[in-house]
Amino acid sequence: MKRPRVVPALGGAASLAGLLVTVMLVPTVATAAAEGDTAEETMLLAAPAAVSFKTGDWQIQQVAWGRLPLNGGPPMPIETVGPQDRQGIPMRRFGTGKELVYNPTVLAQQGMKRLDAWRQTGDAVHLRLARKIIAKLDEIASEVRQRRWQPHRYDLIEQESGWVNANSHGLVQSLLSRFHALTGSAGRLKDARRMMAAYDQRPGDPRWFALVTRTGYLWLEHWPHGRSVHTLNAHINALF
């Protein structure tokens, strides 16, 4: 099988990174909940009436494949290492009972490594495993009116419907956009774009991750319930 070639997702200011900046800087119109929406869906659709943080202009950089996080180095082995389900999809132990759960962060990271291994070796096994990982992310995702977000389905902060954070959300978007770059899948690029709505600030939703600092800057947090010690890698991965 021929090795995949990288196909640019979008050019210039219309890149996914540019779209992220646009979503963060441009207010969205609040959407009224339609009849039949659940309280959770209504909360998701609520958008800020005006931008509540500082804005500015930045030059969006196009980053070569080899410089993207998690790319490069020796390709992954064919066999999945560590906890996994029967399909070879990676899992993670959680809580005092060490229950095996699907963690969106782990899935996204492993999926990107599989894509890089496929690009390096041309071995279709890596692509098949990447597809399985994305299918699992589809299964655990939540969708409302063509918008998508990627919750952690296991309980961390007593949120029965799951919780979200900027780290896993940004990593899943990276996986979907890289899958598009290598395969040309327009559907996966559409999925990544649909996740942009999650970067709206939702002050009334304790599950969410978009915060504004006291000095007026936007902060994309790992911990949705607002820890006093913040996590920089979540903010960086969300920007990527």
Side-chain angles (χ1 to χ4, degrees):
M1 182 176 179
K2 293 175 65 178
R3 296 185 184 184
R5 67 186 183 88
V6 177
V7 181
L10 292 167
S15 66
L16 272 179
L19 287 171
L20 174 55
V21 171
T22 300
V23 169
M24 289 193 298
L25 300 185
V26 179
T28 54
V29 178
T31 306
E35 184 178 356
D37 282 351
T38 66
E40 180 180 355
E41 291 171 341
T42 301
M43 193 170 288
L44 171 68
L45 291 170
V51 170
S52 58
F53 44 85
K54 294 179 181 179
T55 64
D57 295 319
W58 293 270
Q59 180 64 41
I60 303 302
Q61 300 296 316
Q62 299 294 324
V63 182
W65 181 270
R67 295 182 59 197
L68 291 172
L70 301 174
N71 285 350
M76 294 184 72
I78 295 295
E79 296 295 326
T80 301
V81 177
Q84 58 192 274
D85 66 11
R86 294 180 179 179
Q87 297 186 72
I89 299 175
M91 303 186 74
R92 187 172 185 174
R93 296 198 179 276
F94 172 76
T96 56
K98 300 300 181 183
E99 176 187 2
L100 285 173
V101 299
Y102 294 106
N103 182 300
T105 296
V106 172
L107 292 176
Q109 289 173 326
Q110 294 294 308
M112 283 187 276
K113 289 180 180 178
R114 288 293 178 190
L115 290 179
D116 189 51
W118 177 49
R119 185 169 184 265
Q120 289 189 51
T121 67
D123 194 327
V125 173
H126 293 294
L127 180 60
R128 285 198 294 271
L129 285 168
R131 289 183 188 276
K132 288 181 179 180
I133 288 172
I134 293 175
K136 179 57 67 174
L137 287 166
D138 288 342
E139 180 183 320
I140 64 179
S142 295
E143 299 183 12
V144 181
R145 294 190 195 168
Q146 300 302 309
R147 300 182 182 187
R148 169 176 173 156
W149 79 102
Q150 202 71 52
H152 293 255
R153 288 298 184 184
Y154 51 89
D155 185 18
L156 176 69
I157 56 171
E158 300 179 354
Q159 297 291 335
E160 293 180 0
S161 58
W163 60 284
V164 291
N165 73 62
N167 193 56
S168 58
H169 205 82
L171 289 169
V172 171
Q173 282 185 293
S174 291
L175 169 60
L176 294 173
S177 60
R178 291 184 200 187
F179 187 87
H180 163 80
L182 292 182
T183 68
S185 171
R188 290 309 177 188
L189 183 60
K190 180 180 178 181
D191 288 338
R193 284 172 167 162
R194 288 166 58 211
M195 295 179 71
M196 303 304 288
Y199 293 97
D200 290 337
Q201 187 191 5
R202 292 178 179 82
D205 189 341
R207 302 170 304 162
W208 230 255
F209 55 71
L211 310 172
V212 177
T213 69
R214 283 176 295 184
T215 51
Y217 292 101
L218 186 66
W219 178 262
L220 302 173
E221 179 55 62
H222 186 105
W223 304 102
H225 55 334
R227 287 180 50 164
S228 58
V229 179
H230 299 295
T231 309
L232 183 60
N233 67 317
H235 188 77
I236 293 173
N237 282 330
L239 291 176
F240 262 103

